[in-house]
Amino acid sequence: LGGPSKRSARSDGTIADDRTLATLDAAKGMVKRDCWAPPGKLGVVIDSTPRGPVVHEVKGGSPLEGVIFAGDRIIAVDDNDTRSMTASAVTKMMAKKMDKKRKITVLSVVTGVGTP
């Protein structure tokens, strides 16, 4: 998606660029990120897990490459809670909105928090 994104820190402790808004919860080692997906196919493979739908793979050339990562837990699509949904249900939800920009909210594990 073009060149590098410009990131900006906000007064509420979040970090944002043109594709992601992130909120760090260092105590839990997690970061909640709102990611914006463009219209069209996303090239993301999702698995069902006991903790909800999880990104299994982001295919090369995906518009979400470098935005969403394998292991990210999808907790909402366009502010609709997906935590109890199957991977198939989430995929269908995103496909129905394929012609529009979508907001995908994920939880990502943060490694190295608090280590030198």
Side-chain angles (χ1 to χ4, degrees):
L1 284 150
S5 299
K6 292 183 180 180
R7 293 192 174 191
S8 62
R10 297 181 176 184
S11 61
D12 62 359
T14 62
I15 298 172
D17 64 24
D18 57 344
R19 297 185 291 173
T20 307
L21 172 65
T23 306
L24 178 65
D25 185 344
K28 293 182 181 177
M30 301 291 285
V31 64
K32 177 182 170 186
R33 299 182 302 117
D34 290 332
C35 306
W36 284 268
K41 291 188 176 187
L42 300 180
V44 175
V45 179
I46 303 170
D47 282 339
S48 295
T49 74
R51 299 193 74 198
V54 172
V55 175
H56 175 76
E57 176 187 9
V58 179
K59 296 181 179 181
S62 165
L64 294 178
E65 195 171 19
V67 177
I68 288 181
F69 304 93
D72 284 352
R73 189 162 25 136
I74 301 171
I75 61 170
V77 174
D78 293 330
D79 296 320
N80 294 307
D81 190 341
T82 59
R83 290 175 287 186
S84 64
M85 296 174 70
T86 65
S88 176
V90 172
T91 300
K92 286 177 186 173
M93 177 190 289
M94 288 195 283
K96 284 182 184 176
K97 301 175 180 198
M98 183 178 196
D99 60 333
K100 298 179 180 159
K101 186 176 179 179
R102 293 149 283 183
K103 180 171 91 169
I104 303 170
T105 305
V106 298
L107 284 178
S108 300
V109 174
V110 178
T111 56
V113 174
T115 59

